[in-house]
Amino acid sequence: MNAPLRRPLIAGNWKMYKTIAETQAFFDQISPLIFEVDHCDLVIAAPFTSLRRAVETGEKLGFGISAQDLYWEKEGAYTGEISAAMLREAGCRYTLIGHSERRQFFGERDQTVNRKLQAALAAGLMPIVCVGESLAEREAAQTEAVLQRQLAAGLAGLTEAAFSPIIIAYEPVWAIGTGRTATPEIAQQAHAFIRNQLAGLVSPLAAERCRILYGGSVKPDNISGLMAQPDIDGALVGGASLDAGSFAAIVRYQETR
Ligand code: PEP
């Protein structure tokens, strides 16, 4: 059998949760629950202070470790910021970029997403670029226009080769942390639109190969319906990734189909 074109990826975003001790406990607890999982890639985006412990304990279990943000300069007088090279040195393989909480609360813009993306790629990090519309934008029938703008500006200036490590996460803001998941059909519609945009912005082949994750109140009881959609290649999971049992149940989605 041919390998699937896009290997599924399940990523957890811990946001500002989990100390070093809690990070250790999470991996201790999830270890027996994900034994022999090999149908998907696993990623945990930990807070900066827990990254090193996550690398030391999580990588052995097959997790790639991700940062939640970075700054685009290599070094300098940027108090409070972390560079891509620092994340690589800590052992990160991925980084989130443009999460809606960064956009809402910390002034992230499409142009800063683009600068961070270029810096992450230059350092060899695999970026997980988050896009998605707010409730007001959806209700005003602006979803496609917002996604189009976020993708065009966020991915500006990338060659097809540079684009290949990039993962996109579609995260409708109205579904994040609200318990209100997009239906599989609504999510599929947005994912198909994003893939179509990528075909025009990068190339049809790059679009076919790009993994597009869904994020927004993913739980053990809704993951399999989402994963059954042809353009949904995985999930970015916030709240439900904090508990080893619920994250493992999400990772094992194919057993509940
Ligand atoms: C997220 O943080 O990216 C997210 C999707 O959160 P939640 O799963 O809690 O909605």
Side-chain angles (χ1 to χ4, degrees), residues 183-206:
T183 61
E185 294 70 29
I186 288 178
Q188 164 58 25
Q189 211 175 19
H191 281 230
F193 178 80
I194 290 169
R195 202 175 300 288
N196 195 36
Q197 290 298 302
L198 295 177
L201 288 167
V202 190
S203 76
L205 185 61

Side-chain angles (χ1 to χ4, degrees), residues 127-179:
I128 302 175
V129 179
C130 305
V131 295
E133 79 287 359
S134 67
L135 183 59
E137 289 162 341
R138 174 158 286 268
E139 286 175 347
Q142 289 295 304
T143 299
E144 294 191 349
V146 169
L147 294 175
Q148 197 169 28
R149 189 205 74 224
Q150 290 176 337
L151 290 166
L155 304 176
L158 292 183
T159 62
E160 188 176 1
F163 176 80
S164 67
I166 295 176
I167 296 153
I168 304 289
Y170 169 62
E171 300 208 299
V173 179
W174 46 271
I176 297 180
T178 58

Side-chain angles (χ1 to χ4, degrees), residues 1-225:
M1 201 170 84
N2 288 337
L5 187 58
R6 301 184 297 267
R7 184 169 159 78
L9 189 159
I10 305 290
N13 172 21
W14 284 353
K15 313 190 189 210
M16 199 174 74
Y17 292 100
K18 294 211 188 285
T19 61
I20 295 171
E22 289 165 344
T23 297
Q24 180 71 51
F26 174 90
F27 286 114
D28 290 346
Q29 285 160 15
I30 205 166
S31 172
L33 307 179
I34 54 156
F35 188 62
E36 289 187 336
V37 161
D38 67 358
H39 61 280
C40 64
D41 289 342
L42 300 174
V43 173
I44 286 289
F48 289 134
T49 49
S50 294
L51 284 174
R52 190 68 209 151
R53 181 61 64 91
V55 168
E56 286 162 1
T57 55
E59 285 225 320
K60 289 197 280 268
L61 305 177
F63 284 86
I65 303 305
S66 175
Q68 298 175 12
D69 191 25
L70 77 164
Y71 192 58
W72 57 80
E73 293 292 351
K74 289 198 168 80
E75 60 182 3
Y78 304 105
T79 302
E81 297 295 334
I82 301 277
S83 74
M86 290 167 177
L87 297 175
R88 287 287 285 158
E89 187 192 31
C92 289
R93 292 169 51 209
Y94 298 83
T95 183
L96 304 184
I97 299 179
H99 191 278
S100 65
E101 287 154 13
R102 302 296 318 168
R103 294 180 191 257
Q104 269 181 289
F105 307 135
F106 302 101
E108 191 82 84
R109 296 280 168 269
D110 296 331
Q111 289 68 26
T112 52
V113 168
N114 185 259
R115 296 184 82 167
K116 291 179 178 187
L117 186 54
Q118 307 271 5
L121 290 170
L125 287 166
M126 289 182 270
I128 302 175
V129 179
C130 305
V131 295
E133 79 287 359
S134 67
L135 183 59
E137 289 162 341
R138 174 158 286 268
E139 286 175 347
Q142 289 295 304
T143 299
E144 294 191 349
V146 169
L147 294 175
Q148 197 169 28
R149 189 205 74 224
Q150 290 176 337
L151 290 166
L155 304 176
L158 292 183
T159 62
E160 188 176 1
F163 176 80
S164 67
I166 295 176
I167 296 153
I168 304 289
Y170 169 62
E171 300 208 299
V173 179
W174 46 271
I176 297 180
T178 58
R180 188 177 159 187
T181 327
T183 61
E185 294 70 29
I186 288 178
Q188 164 58 25
Q189 211 175 19
H191 281 230
F193 178 80
I194 290 169
R195 202 175 300 288
N196 195 36
Q197 290 298 302
L198 295 177
L201 288 167
V202 190
S203 76
L205 185 61
E208 257 321 283
R209 289 190 170 150
C210 180
R211 290 184 286 185
I212 307 177
L213 315 182
Y214 169 78
S217 298
V218 172
K219 307 279 182 247
D221 63 359
N222 59 29
I223 180 70
S224 53

